[in-house]
Amino acid sequence: MESVVPAEITAELTQILSNLVLGDNEIRSNAEKAVNERLAHTPELYLLALAQFAIMADTEVMRSFSLVLLRRLLFRPAPSNAPQSNTQPPAPRLTLYDHLSSNTLTTLERLLLHSLSTELSPLVRKKTVDTSCDLANESMKRGRPWHALQAQVFGMAQATGGEREVKLRESAFWVFAGCPNLLLDLQVDSVVGVLRGGLVDSSSVEVRHAALQASVSYLSSADSTQLSASATLLPAMLATLPELAHNLSTPPPQGGINNIIHLTNFLSTLTPLCSTHPTLFRPHLQLLLSFVPTLVLPQADCGPTPTMGRPFPSSGGGGFEFPPPAVESSEEDEDEDRKTLRLTAMEFIVSLSEARPGMVKTAPGWVEVGVRACLEGMGEIEEDEGWLKEDPSTGSNEDTPPALYEQSLDRLACALGGKVVLPPAFQYIPSMLLSYDWRARHAGLMAIAAIAEGTGKVMKNELGKIVDLVTPMFNDTHPRVRYAACQCVGQLCTDLEEVIQAQYHQQLFNVLIPALEDPEPRVHSHAAAALINFCEGVVRETLLPYLDPIVERLLKLLNPPNGEVRRYVQEQAITTLAMVADASEATFAKHYPTIMPLLLNVLRNADGPEYRKLRVKAMECAGLIAIAVGRDIFRPDSNTLIELLIRIQKTPADPQDTQLGHYLIATWAKVCQALGPEFEPYLPVVMPTLLATASAKADISVYVDEDAETEERDGWETISMDGQTLGIRTSAIEEKCQAFETLVIYCSTLGAKFAPHLSQTLEVTLPSLRFYFHDGVREACAILIPMLLVCGKNSQTLTPQMLSATFSQLITCINSEHDTSFLASLYKCFTDSLRVIGGAQSLTPEFHQGIINATNRQLQQMADKRRTRANRANNSEYEMDKEEMALLEEIEEFALEDMDKMLTAMDPNHPLRIAISGVRDLGFNTWDSDEEGDEEG
């Protein structure tokens, strides 16, 4: 191909790229500077040189690298000297692409098309496809469709011939997969014909997979008319799956991948379509059931058949061997591939079940296969000799296969409900709990815990039988089974809160309290954790008879008689003591003299980094106990605790201690609740930090490519916006929310005594009604505002300026609010504030008319939304949207109810109340007609 840049540019770029891939940091750094300098002065020339290098370089490594660099540089923001704000999303910046001339773009496209049609290396072809897709997508966003790519790829997809044409077809479908817009403006019949041809390609399973990915992308992007006309693609999309499933053991071609990996890839590609367009699979459920069970259920290996000559044959063909023969790495790889395939098939089942539960319930065997597969997978937990000694806070098993099967079972139960999940689950669970294999017993208990949330409404009818199954397992010989029993009871106490505590508290206390003395620290620590769940749903009178033995054993965990201290056990014991104190309230006073000194001692002495968690747990526990026993008992120790909190607060911040600030704010709030009005002298200590936290702006960073690793920082969330990667420091936003929630506690507890801080607090609170980064911040502000007005009224510090600012902001927010759930909170805030000032007659005419106009506007918007939904309900997509529309209407009902209360407070005969009834009549109220059993689905 003829060169499009001078030879000297090509030579210079060759040297720069060679330096970029070197391991020497200094050489690489200089090469990066050189690239940036060339792009700053002659971007068009060097981008074209990169594209040409992707065709002409001698090695596939350099061709591939040049494409990666081209793709990265094209849409990198161009250099800018404008300052960036860290408090709001930055304005979109132009990229290098936006500065290229039309001729340069045309040449760039021509070079990529040449690479796409001539490149033989699979590695480089993939990079060419990725770069072409990015260029096509970004060009279309800017109103420059790439027609030449569309025409060339359409032709490549239908190329016939030898091996080269197979590669062309595969690349074509990958381009369609990455840029489905190339297909969306074509005739549906033509698109379906090309895609179907790739899906049944007889010469290459790789082409079929690429065509499958293209089909999924097309269907996911198509409008309803295109989707309906393209549904005939599904048989071809599914055709390869049973073929692969029935030939998993077929050896792969030389240098190729096996059918296990192929099938895994096919299922992974189809799974997103289960979530977005589940009804497409309705006619094909029986086909899926013909092979999916063989993928998710483990295949029994009975081994060789015994004979008279060899009554005890081994699968290896010989007798006892020591040391045992090594397993071939290829066998290990295949075993891992099969595990991955099982999990992928399981995700396919769960995703389709979650997206359309009513549909899969009618497919005989679907639910049974899914539930059994999860139970089997949960029982394949590995023996871990280090488990007993491991600190549970340092390790996580959430990504292990048994844990993933457990999560899948939980998701199935939540999607399908108890009527269909409990029967197949309890077909196996009782026998699992009686198994000789501890792993099966463990799995049975964890399964009950996993399905409790989704099946609770039905499970509570059989709760006595379940309790009878679970409680004997606390005496199991294996510590991990006893641990699972604690987990199971703790989860049941959460998911069937109050029901299980009220009806079966004696049976559960009879196993949980002795479990606090289990010989294994991990077990008795988990028993203490389960007690927290129990206490959250127990009434005080139920807990009191058991209070003494619980506290006695928890104190032993804090100071074990054998002197063997496990810090995580102490942390858990303190946390449980806090919850027990909270649940038992004033009755806990008898244990106060023993426990509070221990906690204060921890706060005095636990200064090292290894004691961070113990210290904050002690703070939390001291605060909860102070509330439980009341100010009279707590008062003698209050000064000591407060002095310790002040000392901790003044200690230089440890950047590694991310929890201290949160727990400090929370403990100060608890001390305030415990002391009541007596806390007033300490407001000057806590308010500056609290107001600073509450007034914090959203911390936003713009990440450039070199900062990619910052996306993984704790406390940060990354989002893509206008071609840029933005990082939002969610930890700071959570602290802001906690600060406002704490201000609610201070203001409600201290009343008029909070007046010295009224003006500052109101100044921070009103703007935060529009803090769109966190709903919790806005909700706390809506609760706080009427309290602040009450404080000002009772302390006679409420000024006309404060009232004017408050009602002006509330009316502005109501007028512009798009979140219907928060709209209800705004109306409640307005109504409560109106009552504080003496009713509607105290409003100025301007504000009176303003709130009526805002309400009229909201009613009109709500009526329009309901009419639109009614039209959607009449088309074929209604079933898909039914639950979502019903939920939206239910949320609107709360807003209408609070709107009506506000109008009633202003004028019981206000004409807009009739308008509210009219808007209500526009709803279809599907939640009233749903069967109650469809908790279940």
Side-chain angles (χ1 to χ4, degrees), residues 374-375 378 402-415 421-422 425 429 442-456 459 484 487-492 495:
C374 291
L375 294 174
M378 290 170 65
L404 293 173
Y405 285 113
E406 182 184 338
Q407 294 164 25
S408 297
L409 184 60
D410 177 27
R411 290 165 60 193
L412 279 177
C414 290
V421 169
L422 281 179
I429 287 174
H442 181 280
L445 289 166
M446 299 300 281
I448 295 174
I451 63 177
E453 179 185 4
T455 66
M459 183 185 278
Q487 174 69 23
C488 182
V489 166
Q491 197 63 50
L492 288 172
D495 295 328

Side-chain angles (χ1 to χ4, degrees), residues 723-734:
Q724 299 180 88
T725 301
L726 304 181
I728 301 177
R729 192 158 76 92
T730 52
S731 55
I733 296 176
E734 293 294 340

Side-chain angles (χ1 to χ4, degrees), residues 175-222:
V175 171
F176 286 142
C179 187
N181 286 325
L182 294 172
L183 297 172
L184 294 176
D185 63 345
L186 300 175
Q187 289 292 324
V188 173
D189 290 345
S190 299
V191 173
V192 169
V194 168
L195 292 175
R196 185 183 286 117
L199 291 166
V200 297
D201 193 297
S202 59
S203 57
S204 170
V205 69
E206 285 82 5
V207 172
R208 279 180 270 166
H209 180 233
L212 179 65
Q213 185 67 69
S215 301
V216 169
S217 296
Y218 174 68
L219 292 173
S220 299
S221 305

Side-chain angles (χ1 to χ4, degrees), residues 159-170 201 203-204 207:
T160 57
E163 185 179 344
R164 176 180 175 275
E165 284 70 27
V166 170
K167 293 177 180 179
L168 288 177
R169 294 199 299 274
E170 182 184 356
D201 193 297
S203 57
S204 170
V207 172

Side-chain angles (χ1 to χ4, degrees), residues 736-742 744 765-787 810 817 819-829 832 891 894 898:
K736 183 183 181 82
C737 181
Q738 185 196 19
F740 277 110
E741 290 169 347
T742 304
V744 169
T765 303
L766 291 176
S768 294
L769 284 171
R770 307 181 77 169
F771 188 81
Y772 298 110
F773 292 101
H774 197 293
D775 291 340
V777 170
R778 305 172 76 205
E779 292 288 353
C781 290
I783 294 169
L784 178 59
I785 286 169
M787 293 181 178
L810 284 173
E817 185 55 54
D819 183 350
T820 311
S821 61
F822 186 60
L823 185 63
S825 301
L826 284 172
Y827 272 107
K828 184 177 187 311
C829 177
D832 292 345
I891 292 170
F894 289 114
D898 282 301

Side-chain angles (χ1 to χ4, degrees), residues 493-494 496-506 508-509 530-547 550 579-585:
C493 288
T494 296
L496 299 168
E497 188 173 329
E498 296 181 4
V499 177
I500 193 168
Q501 287 94 328
Q503 297 179 15
Y504 302 101
H505 58 86
Q506 184 174 353
L508 297 182
F509 273 132
L531 269 173
I532 291 179
N533 298 39
F534 189 98
C535 290
E536 286 176 343
V538 75
V539 296
R540 177 173 168 271
E541 289 71 23
T542 300
L543 176 62
L544 293 185
Y546 306 95
L547 182 61
I550 290 174
M579 289 305 303
V580 170
D582 190 44
S584 59
E585 299 173 356

Side-chain angles (χ1 to χ4, degrees), residues 731-801:
S731 55
I733 296 176
E734 293 294 340
E735 289 165 8
K736 183 183 181 82
C737 181
Q738 185 196 19
F740 277 110
E741 290 169 347
T742 304
L743 286 169
V744 169
I745 292 172
Y746 287 166
C747 191
S748 62
T749 303
L750 297 172
K753 291 180 180 291
F754 188 75
H757 305 278
L758 171 62
S759 178
Q760 276 183 294
T761 304
L762 196 60
E763 191 177 323
V764 169
T765 303
L766 291 176
S768 294
L769 284 171
R770 307 181 77 169
F771 188 81
Y772 298 110
F773 292 101
H774 197 293
D775 291 340
V777 170
R778 305 172 76 205
E779 292 288 353
C781 290
I783 294 169
L784 178 59
I785 286 169
M787 293 181 178
L788 292 172
L789 298 185
V790 170
C791 167
K793 182 180 178 181
N794 292 342
S795 62
Q796 298 182 345
T797 57
L798 191 61
T799 66
Q801 291 80 5

